Amino acid sequence: AARLCDNTQVMSLLFGRRGVGVVRLATRTTTTVPLAAVQGSDAHGLFPGASQTAAAHTGITICSSYRHTNTSAGLHPSSNPSGLFRAGPRLEAYPRSNHPMNTSRRVVRSASTSGTERLTEFDHEAFSSAFLQEIHNVENATDPAQSSAILRRLVKSGLLKYTDMRDAPEKFFLGHRLLSTVGLGGFGIRFTVQYNLFAGSILGLAGPEQSRMLGPLQEEGLLGCFLLTEMQAGVLSGLIVETTATWNSATKTFDLHTPSDKAAKNWISQGFTAERGVVIADLIVNGKSHGPHPFFMELRDPSTLDLLTGIRIDDMGTKTVANDLDNARVWFDHVQLPKSALLNKFCEISDDDTYTQVGDQAMRIEVIGQRLLTGRLVIAQAAVVAARVLHMKTEEYARQKVCNGLDGEVSLASMPQLRAVFAESYAELDEMIRFSAAVERRLSQCLSDGSIPDNDLIDAISVCKIRCIDAASQRVYALRQEVGSYALMGGTGFELNDMFLCTKFAEGDTRILQQKLTRDRLKALKDGGLAATLLVALNPLSSDGAEARAALLLARKLAPAGRDRTKMAAKMDEHWRDIYALADMIADRHVREQKGIDFPEPIVERIKAFSPKFDFNWKDTTMNRSLKDVPK
């Protein structure tokens, strides 16, 4: 067992499909063994010569085969309904499938700072139950005043701590998925803005002293927002930042300013109801621009909710969906921020008024954008899980819906075209679920040890967002075409359909991410040399040959433009189909090469009928309440 823990290869022993278990170790090593070898035995029965104590110290988890069931909907009957098996401390078995059986307490893998995985006791069932109870009336919170009050209640409960993104990232990701089983509404965006973009930015970008503010912020239930996107930047947010923060050596303050309307912060989720914010601005010191930097700031007085001097916030108005979420446009007119406003994990202003880098990592948009990576993943998972539970709910309806057939009454679910839709949807959605779970595990290690994801993981996250959301949107669209007027009814989940469109451009527009994949692939071609790519392209046995050939052809088509941006823009317009085709090949490779894993929880359909009522005077309600009015 000790030797196996040091072996990072995956070994598979061919014992047949049924009665096979999977042994998972904390070092990510996976071995398949016959279920008979572990059932009814203690831990040392796993490996000849290994003692129970030794096996326990390796952190082995044994999993038996199982397939998720939904008895109410008659979905996916179990192929091996074996029960829980435990042997020794830190040794646990649970059924394995696309959606493994939930156990009350189980070992969840987290990454340690040493680069290996640590095991953390995680009471999944208790957390899920408590979390769902905290948001139990979210479907009735149809305006920002009510919705923000529920979030305050959840924040103050401390059920999910701001530091859990680092200390227990599984909880962080699970919270987002639980919300999507209730309905893909605006509250999910509000939730991820609070925990990921706002608190997560402080956790990842603040120095040790600054990070201590997270405790009081959570205890007081203060809401925050993340002010990055600017009006003219649009989907290029982060690449274009014109808001400035100029260091004033005389007053030892930053002057935060919006130079023009096109630089106004735009589509800022929770921007109207938030009292605090993390704003991204171009830092200027001694006349020199240092690029985008993060600043923590106060937006409103918590006791009066009045905007602080120099800040202007406008609500962006009614949307086709998610009107429980406020989206704002924000301007700054020479707002004075203290020196401590600059989140200083990676840089600071020294006593002699010079810009100083802290540590080896330079502050740049890729560092600031770490929360965009987590945001892309949680949005991808939310979309694909929401699509699956929508199929589950619709399938239950279709089984009960009676239609007239040639031989008499039949159920809608028996129609061949609908059977085909369900089969194709479950196959595609489950593949994306397993892919996203594997990517989550890789990202969780970075979150736990504070490291910056490598380029391969960054690309995998982009692929996850592209493919999960495409699968969710396309499969839901296909389902709508076959269930008639049911798709028009409230309470079915289809009324939130526009949220799938929202997920397509939130935290990284699909087309921008595709262009980034292609750009990075062409850069890798250049850095790696033409010969290496040619060898792959000409190898008939290489699964990456088509991608390599496409990259070479596209590089040849773009080469005449050289470094001339005008010519390059024209060439990219001319060959746009090739650009996106190469991105699709890159995405195919990531999905093909990434071994999928399961979420730790079963996917349960909890869709609720969202209330159609809306209080158009919600701003007055928001302004008239104080933090003491937050529901307990």
Side-chain angles (χ1 to χ4, degrees), residues 135-142 150 182 608-612:
I135 55 104
H136 71 278
N137 57 342
V138 69
E139 72 278 7
N140 296 317
T142 57
I150 293 178
V182 175
K608 297 183 178 181
F610 279 67
S611 172

Side-chain angles (χ1 to χ4, degrees), residues 75-234:
L75 302 180
H76 306 304
S78 168
S79 61
N80 182 15
S82 55
L84 178 68
F85 167 75
R86 301 181 66 91
R90 301 178 65 194
L91 179 61
E92 181 170 328
Y94 61 94
R96 179 174 74 94
S97 74
N98 288 346
H99 310 287
M101 180 190 294
N102 174 40
T103 59
S104 177
R105 179 173 293 278
R106 53 164 300 195
V107 177
V108 170
R109 302 159 189 80
S110 300
S112 70
T113 54
S114 63
T116 60
E117 288 183 295
R118 68 172 188 266
L119 297 180
T120 305
E121 284 293 326
F122 181 78
D123 196 333
H124 164 273
E125 186 174 349
F127 174 81
S128 298
S129 177
F131 186 91
L132 292 168
Q133 179 58 35
E134 287 292 339
I135 55 104
H136 71 278
N137 57 342
V138 69
E139 72 278 7
N140 296 317
T142 57
D143 63 65
Q146 299 178 71
S147 180
S148 61
I150 293 178
L151 181 59
R152 292 179 195 278
R153 183 178 68 200
L154 175 62
V155 168
K156 293 179 73 174
S157 74
L159 181 63
L160 182 66
K161 299 184 183 304
Y162 289 153
T163 52
D164 280 341
M165 178 183 285
R166 176 195 64 209
D167 301 335
E170 300 87 359
K171 282 187 180 182
F172 168 80
F173 289 109
L174 175 57
H176 288 83
R177 293 197 298 271
L178 289 173
L179 280 173
S180 65
T181 65
V182 175
L184 193 64
F187 186 83
I189 302 296
R190 184 184 297 281
F191 174 79
T192 197
V193 165
Q194 182 72 20
Y195 279 91
N196 178 51
L197 293 179
F198 172 66
S201 291
I202 297 173
L203 184 66
L205 301 174
E209 291 294 326
Q210 294 174 324
S211 296
R212 295 175 183 173
M213 74 171 83
L214 287 171
L217 284 173
Q218 181 150 24
E219 291 171 4
E220 296 174 33
L222 294 171
L223 299 188
C225 61
F226 185 70
L227 302 108
L228 170 63
T229 302
E230 296 183 355
M231 196 182 323
Q232 186 159 307

Side-chain angles (χ1 to χ4, degrees), residues 137 143 202 206 213 318 391 415 484 492 500 519 557:
N137 57 342
D143 63 65
I202 297 173
M213 74 171 83
T318 305
H391 277 75
M415 296 295 164
T492 63
F500 289 105
R519 180 202 68 185
K557 292 175 181 179

